[in-house]
Amino acid sequence: MVRAAVLPAVGAPLEVTDIELPEPGPGQVRIRLAAAGVCHSDLSLSDGTMRVPVPAVLGHEGAGTVLSVGEGVTHVAPGDGVVLNWAPSCGSCHHCGIGEVWLCADALTGAGNVHARTADGTELHPGLNVAAFAQETVVAANCALPAPAGIPLTDAALLGCAVLTGYGAVHHSARVRSGETVVVFGIGGVGLAVLQSARIAGASKIIAVDVSPEKEELARRAGATDYVIASDATPRAIRRLTGGQGADVAVECVGRPATIRGAWDSTRRGGRTTVVGIGGKDQQVTFNALEIFHWGRSLSGCVYGNSDPARDLPVLAEHIRAGRFDLSMMVTERIALDGIPAAFDNMIAGKGGRALVVF
């Protein structure tokens, strides 16, 4: 039996309880978690914005130590540090075949499996495949990636979602070039990763936008050269800061129609807007046909940073070891499992960066 944060039903409060976790079967790995980040996607799962089978153990951004492996697992062994990969690619679907592994058609099929049981026998599913809000978890082997050497596992937990997403949004989706101007909407965990990644890419001006004045110092530590309090006037403020043109690139990390529209309006003619935030299917963003032609901007979605974790983790690890990317500065709160609901409340209120569950 291990302690875990369980979502009993969509919209219900999380329950921290004991669960019965099986030993790993063929092709599976059992892991003792060192830490798990509290991501906005976990909140989206709990409130039904994103749908997965419930009841479920949430948590998808984590790292830990391998306890045991099932038959056929050879790439990790007991005692190894690993980073959890919540969206493993199958390697055989259409998207994997053309190199778009972040769009793998089968990436989330594991979320429908029975992961564990409560003390009364209730079957539990593994949230986004990896069920990281628990002292231990059992995952498919391709959900466990060798942790980069020289990086503490508590810090490495952030690599599993926020950092891969933010880095990929800059380098793979928006493809920021040296000297370009970048504006980042939403300075939570992913936004902080975007700011650091834009700095690594050589952006000449990096503008952070958020509703909270308290986040300015944190944003500047991550690489922001300017800070704007979000309002209806944000696009005008961005143009003033960019010589009247607008930013070359906008990265939206909130997932609300107003901020998506604001990011689009903040980019220059011919600029690029990348949407990382996850909104609801009932939320509409509108554009008129003439402005699409006139402005010549591009608008793109971004899943998991358009990243291939096997390719990108070693690159990120080198940036971290060289001091170009600071994982620890992204964490503004270290909590226990029972602190997750309060972390959700802080996210809704726009407070802080990344909350980290430390085991």
Side-chain angles (χ1 to χ4, degrees):
M1 303 292 282
V2 300
R3 299 289 282 175
V6 174
L7 178 69
V10 172
L14 287 183
E15 298 176 356
V16 178
T17 187
D18 289 329
I19 65 170
E20 183 179 351
L21 196 64
E23 289 303 313
Q28 292 185 319
V29 180
R30 184 166 183 147
I31 298 162
R32 177 188 296 118
L33 273 296
V38 183
C39 179
H40 201 280
S41 296
D42 298 307
L43 177 60
S44 295
L45 293 172
S46 71
D47 66 16
T49 299
M50 297 170 62
R51 291 283 184 174
V52 293
V54 291
V57 179
L58 297 187
H60 64 282
E61 178 184 89
T65 303
V66 175
L67 294 176
S68 57
V69 300
E71 180 183 350
V73 177
T74 59
H75 73 294
V76 294
D80 288 351
V82 292
V83 174
L84 296 178
N85 175 16
W86 62 270
S89 57
C90 69
S92 59
C93 72
H94 170 74
H95 287 288
C96 288
I98 61 174
E100 296 176 349
V101 298
W102 54 92
L103 297 178
C104 174
D106 299 316
L108 293 180
T109 56
N113 295 339
V114 175
H115 172 72
R117 287 176 170 80
T118 63
D120 65 5
T122 301
E123 293 181 342
L124 301 173
H125 301 284
L128 290 178
N129 283 325
V130 296
F133 287 166
Q135 294 169 322
E136 298 177 15
T137 189
V138 173
V139 302
N142 59 356
C143 289
L145 301 173
I151 300 173
L153 286 176
T154 48
D155 289 345
L158 302 180
L159 293 170
C161 185
V163 175
L164 274 172
T165 299
Y167 177 85
V170 168
H171 290 272
H172 303 321
S173 180
R175 298 185 181 183
V176 174
R177 298 182 290 267
S178 179
E180 289 191 313
T181 56
V182 177
V183 57
V184 183
F185 283 72
I187 311 304
V190 173
L192 291 169
V194 172
L195 291 172
Q196 295 198 68
S197 300
R199 176 168 43 79
I200 290 170
S204 61
K205 184 181 285 290
I206 305 170
I207 306 164
V209 178
D210 199 276
V211 296
S212 172
E214 289 75 22
K215 290 187 181 182
E216 180 172 359
E217 181 182 353
L218 189 64
R220 290 186 182 274
R221 284 176 57 200
T225 59
D226 299 89
Y227 193 83
V228 173
I229 304 301
S231 72
D232 292 341
T234 295
R236 290 195 296 276
I238 302 306
R239 286 194 289 275
R240 284 196 299 271
L241 290 169
T242 53
Q245 296 299 311
D248 295 301
V249 171
V251 182
E252 198 275 354
C253 304
V254 182
R256 295 176 182 165
T259 49
I260 295 171
R261 180 72 217 201
W264 165 271
D265 288 337
S266 296
T267 54
R268 65 169 174 82
R269 196 174 188 189
R272 305 173 320 269
T273 300
T274 288
V275 178
V276 177
I278 301 172
K281 63 181 181 181
D282 59 337
Q283 297 175 310
Q284 303 297 313
V285 185
T286 59
F287 308 89
N288 68 59
L290 180 61
E291 70 175 309
I292 293 174
F293 162 78
H294 173 76
W295 288 104
R297 297 166 174 150
S298 61
L299 177 69
S300 62
C302 180
V303 178
Y304 206 2
N306 294 7
S307 292
D308 178 348
R311 174 198 64 198
D312 293 328
L313 280 182
V315 176
L316 277 164
E318 185 55 38
H319 286 309
I320 294 163
R321 287 190 290 260
R324 293 185 290 269
F325 199 109
D326 186 349
L327 293 173
S328 60
M329 68 78 54
M330 298 169 58
V331 179
T332 54
E333 187 179 19
R334 294 175 186 266
I335 60 175
L337 280 171
D338 59 8
I340 296 173
F344 282 174
D345 290 340
N346 285 339
M347 256 191 286
I348 294 169
K351 296 179 180 178
R354 195 50 126 218
L356 191 68
V357 180
V358 179
F359 296 94

